[in-house]
Amino acid sequence: MPPGPGGRPAHDASGGRGGRGPVYEFSGGRAGGGPVYDAVVLAGGAARRLGGGDKPGVRVGGLTLVERVAAAVPDAARLIVVGPAYPGLPRALFVREDPPGGGPVPALRAGLAVSRAPFVALLAADLPFLLPGHLAALLSAAATGPGAVLVDDEGHDQWLTGVWRTETLSAALAAYEGGSLRGLLGPLEPVRLALPVGDDGRVPWFDCDTMDDVRYARNHISTTTDKP
């Protein structure tokens, strides 16, 4: 399988576990402004490890987490937030999964139902270090196959930092009866994209599951000098 634009094979992290392909390192470059895409941000989880609080509404560096994720997709044709309505997101279209809190697959169904673009970014609402450049890399990689997901520095697929062909994702959802994102997305064999990890401790797949995670993010984002 050839690498996408600006990418090259990094290593085979499949470990013999069916369907996981090689990881590609992104080395810069973006074709002609990139494809048109919508962003579906999943913001309706229970946040049990945060005591059941409003995780997307937690403030980090002067913005809520969901505002930070929205700032990473400024050129999305539609910003679709699956969850309760949040202030500070005037361009967002808010929808709810059925039932509310039903999990990521029902949430994806609800978001995809109002998506119209040929590509869709599927994102968690608690990614404080995600930036537009990361989405550009994913869009470039997704243009070469059914989709693309980030892999972390240990080679694990990050299913809530990905970009997919909308037609492919819709067809897979129509045939899927399970409740696992991995079970839905893994068989599609997306491009597995590794992004460079800097020395500042900030990586795009970092999510805020616990208060320790929130404190880490706050310690690495300045309220005055660091904008998404």
Side-chain angles (χ1 to χ4, degrees), residues 75-141:
D75 51 355
R78 281 189 174 187
L79 171 61
I80 302 161
V81 178
V82 186
Y86 286 93
L89 296 175
R91 69 187 183 101
L93 172 62
F94 293 96
V95 298
R96 292 307 304 263
E97 68 272 38
D98 184 20
V105 173
L108 174 56
R109 290 186 195 278
L112 203 60
V114 293
S115 176
R116 300 292 181 266
F119 288 84
V120 60
L122 175 60
L123 304 169
D126 62 344
L127 302 167
F129 304 140
L130 190 69
L131 297 172
H134 302 139
L135 265 295
L138 281 165
L139 282 161
S140 287

Side-chain angles (χ1 to χ4, degrees), residues 191-205:
V191 175
R192 305 177 66 237
L193 185 66
L195 296 180
V197 177
D199 58 5
D200 59 2
R202 300 192 292 184
V203 292
W205 57 81

Side-chain angles (χ1 to χ4, degrees), residues 45-56 209:
R48 292 182 180 88
R49 294 171 66 187
L50 272 176
D54 176 18
K55 181 165 61 169
D209 285 335

Side-chain angles (χ1 to χ4, degrees), residues 16 28 33 39 41 67 92 94 98 105 149 180 212 218 222:
V41 180
E67 286 171 343
F94 293 96
D98 184 20
V105 173
V149 295
S180 161
D212 284 344
R218 287 171 173 165
S222 165

Side-chain angles (χ1 to χ4, degrees), residues 27 101 115 121 132 152 154 184 207 212:
S27 55
S115 176
D152 65 18
E154 296 181 348
L184 169 68
D207 56 0
D212 284 344

